[in-house]
Amino acid sequence: MPKAPTLARWRTIGDVGPDAELAPTGGPAAEGGPPTTGRSHVQGELAAEATELLRRLVRLNTVNPPGAERDAIESLRSILTEAGFQCELLAAEPNRPNLVARLRGENDGPTLCYLGHLDTVLADAGEWKHDPWSGDIADGYLWGRGSLDMKSQVAAEVAAVAGLARGGWRPACGELLLVTVVDEETGGELGSKWLCETHAEKVRCDMLLNEGGGAHFELHGRRYYGVCCAEKGVFRFTVTTTGAAGHASMPRLGENALLKMAPVLERFANGRPSLEPTVEPLAFLRGVGEDEHDPSAALERLDEQDSRLLTMLEPMFGVTFAPTKISASEKINVIPSKAQLRVDCRVPPGFGEPQARHAIEQVLGGLDGLQIEFTERVTGNRSPIDSPLMDALGQWIAQRDPGARTVPMAMPGFTDSHRFRAAFPECVAYGFFPQRHQSLLQTQALMHAPDERIDVRDLAFAAEFYRDLAVGLLG
Ligand SMILES: [Zn+2]
């Protein structure tokens, strides 16, 4: 990483040069107490801009497939171009361009990238209280598909950096890069995967922030904000049982392969592989004041504290199996000679097929006649936990939510950060969209679900974070 930023360069918010009144003083007053005049005015503008932008993005339906992100991408381009960014649209498919916007400093230095995607999963309007493409604001929330995943983060980032650039701010060294991609929800073939493979030099960065962390949770009476430092790998496989076909009217004539699946399902229902905590979950346990030397006891205590929260935290501690599809005979009157069970298997970052097979053996060991075949093999990757970027995140949270802390985490799922880490091994990539008001439990329940919505105060909170971080790291 060229000229990695150091902590000394992280300026306390409040001395942002000519725009000093941009700077919040932090602390509870910035959230709820009496605002001071100049600052609150600018804060209010940033909040209003982020909110308006999110409404606009939500109203542009970008359900993928087909995606159709062009209008949304173009509206971001015009905001950023006007603010002073150099913008470029790069498209694998003409109607689905990605946006790369940069703001260069006078001197060489690190590149800080804010990454986001504009496509969403589908929504069935009949299941929603407010139309999923309305962007309605009601009960303190902005409602709509993408309001959490992840047009909110994109809106907060764009409002933050456009405001900075419009006010005349430029990085003292290095550059600020904003990359908004298409096609994340179906794998990123036209988005981050294509960009990293085809235009690597244009999106190369030293520090990257993306989705995947930041909603607060409470444990042992303290508030924490998870920073996603790693993503698990995906090793999906098929379990096959075989038998002999026969007429279904005489069940004992053939050998029913589907019935042989019963003990397999039973094992998946009741058994699980041993914990395999990697560096992230161990750092998480340390971070929340638990005993990293006895992870199972620590997980039991977390379970007693909040079993719903444990459901979200536990997958980072090892290999997980979720059988999701089963198939056997195509005909109702034919005993199946073959049955197949598809299993979604996620492994800790860095783990490969041998570790996945070992975990399968722990759960299915002793059952005869099973064939196991892997259908997808993606090794998860990670960024270092200790970095100037992590320090900066921790300092900002400590300042803006006194008593709260950041903690490292590994994500059970998969995001575009994976592509950037793979393409640029020196890049430190984290998932972080700080949410002070809407908790991790509330947020996770609304992702990809009906009534997806964001507390509008969190939109402002995050926009201030992205603004302050850029100034803090790039000067
Ligand atoms: Zn997403």
Side-chain angles (χ1 to χ4, degrees):
M1 182 192 293
K3 288 194 184 169
T6 62
L7 267 184
R9 294 192 49 240
W10 171 252
R11 289 198 259 166
T12 6
I13 309 153
D15 45 329
V16 190
D19 296 316
E21 73 163 20
L22 261 184
T25 51
E31 284 301 302
T36 48
T37 335
R39 194 188 80 228
S40 71
H41 171 67
V42 179
Q43 298 287 69
E45 270 182 20
L46 178 57
E49 183 170 355
T51 307
E52 240 351 273
L53 182 53
L54 178 56
R55 294 188 97 177
R56 204 195 306 175
L57 293 177
V58 165
R59 286 170 180 168
L60 295 167
N61 181 332
T62 53
V63 170
N64 183 16
E69 302 94 339
R70 179 174 268 283
D71 288 350
I73 289 278
E74 282 182 353
S75 84
L76 298 185
R77 174 175 63 172
S78 68
I79 292 168
L80 290 166
T81 305
E82 259 170 49
F85 275 75
Q86 267 181 286
C87 291
E88 198 171 3
L89 298 191
L90 298 167
E93 261 183 26
N95 263 328
R96 304 188 66 187
N98 301 284
L99 171 65
V100 177
R102 62 181 75 241
L103 195 62
R104 280 216 173 90
E106 299 241 318
N107 305 300
D108 285 348
T111 297
L112 170 66
C113 176
Y114 291 161
L115 174 67
H117 67 83
L118 275 183
D119 60 320
T120 70
V121 294
L122 52 76
D124 177 350
E127 298 173 345
W128 288 58
K129 288 196 189 105
H130 295 262
D131 184 276
W133 297 282
S134 65
D136 280 353
I137 294 176
D139 312 319
Y141 293 96
L142 195 159
W143 300 64
R145 181 54 88 222
S147 59
L148 287 168
D149 182 12
M150 65 173 286
K151 289 175 171 176
S152 46
Q153 183 167 343
V154 172
E157 289 169 349
V158 171
V161 303
L164 277 175
R166 243 183 257 128
W169 177 83
R170 295 292 180 273
C173 62
E175 67 178 356
L176 179 60
L177 191 63
L178 195 124
V179 178
T180 310
V181 301
V182 301
D183 199 35
E184 192 271 348
E185 296 291 358
T186 56
E189 290 292 325
L190 308 175
S192 63
K193 182 170 186 287
W194 179 81
L195 269 182
C196 286
E197 284 172 5
T198 319
H199 294 286
E201 286 317 307
K202 292 187 173 169
V203 294
R204 180 180 293 280
C205 51
D206 303 297
M207 295 172 282
L208 177 138
L209 281 189
N210 184 28
E211 63 181 335
H216 79 273
F217 57 90
E218 282 183 31
L219 271 177
H220 307 306
R222 188 187 272 271
R223 288 160 65 81
Y224 296 95
Y225 292 76
V227 180
C228 177
C229 305
E231 271 125 307
K232 291 181 78 177
V234 184
F235 279 75
R236 298 189 172 119
F237 59 90
T238 304
V239 183
T240 305
T241 51
T242 52
H247 199 286
S249 63
M250 291 166 281
R252 292 172 63 187
L253 199 61
E255 192 187 336
N256 194 329
L258 186 55
L259 292 177
K260 293 184 182 176
M261 214 48 102
V264 176
L265 291 170
E266 183 80 33
R267 293 284 185 94
F268 280 126
N270 300 314
R272 42 196 252 183
S274 55
L275 299 181
E276 298 277 356
T278 51
V279 287
E280 298 82 14
L282 292 177
F284 172 84
L285 289 182
R286 279 198 302 279
V288 299
E290 276 292 352
D291 182 5
E292 64 176 300
H293 303 292
D294 191 353
S296 28
L299 287 182
E300 271 170 37
R301 278 189 296 273
L302 296 183
D303 191 20
E304 282 161 23
Q305 282 255 316
D306 189 335
S307 57
R308 286 185 310 154
L309 189 58
L310 183 78
T311 308
M312 287 169 201
L313 301 175
E314 198 179 22
M316 76 173 142
F317 285 82
V319 176
T320 58
F321 299 122
T324 51
K325 287 180 163 184
I326 193 161
S327 62
S329 181
E330 306 238 319
K331 294 207 163 130
I332 187 69
N333 61 352
V334 175
I335 289 170
S337 61
K338 187 163 108 172
Q340 292 197 303
L341 178 72
R342 302 278 319 275
V343 182
D344 189 324
C345 166
R346 311 289 176 123
V347 304
F351 280 32
E353 192 175 316
Q355 291 97 331
R357 283 199 182 272
H358 177 65
I360 294 170
E361 180 60 28
Q362 287 185 320
V363 174
L364 299 183
L367 297 179
D368 292 331
L370 305 180
Q371 292 163 32
I372 308 287
E373 192 189 351
F374 285 90
T375 52
E376 275 172 76
R377 297 177 181 85
V378 180
T379 306
N381 61 18
R382 58 165 53 92
S383 290
I385 290 172
D386 293 320
S387 73
L389 183 57
M390 182 65 85
D391 294 338
L393 268 49
Q395 286 177 12
W396 193 88
I397 287 297
Q399 195 169 18
R400 293 300 306 274
D401 188 355
R405 284 184 195 163
T406 49
V407 276
M409 295 177 80
M411 183 157 175
F414 194 81
T415 73
D416 281 334
S417 300
H418 183 272
R419 314 267 183 215
F420 280 72
R421 290 195 195 104
F424 315 118
E426 75 286 0
C427 173
V428 174
Y430 296 146
F432 198 67
F433 174 65
Q435 288 184 267
R436 179 176 176 162
H437 300 281
Q438 214 168 349
S439 71
L440 177 66
L441 285 173
Q442 292 166 327
T443 301
Q444 284 298 324
L446 294 171
M447 291 261 187
H448 293 200
D451 293 334
E452 182 179 350
R453 59 192 184 275
I454 185 166
D455 188 312
V456 288
R457 295 170 298 176
D458 278 340
L459 203 52
F461 189 62
E464 288 161 25
F465 163 72
Y466 292 115
R467 179 197 62 200
D468 297 341
L469 187 78
V471 172
L473 290 174
L474 300 177

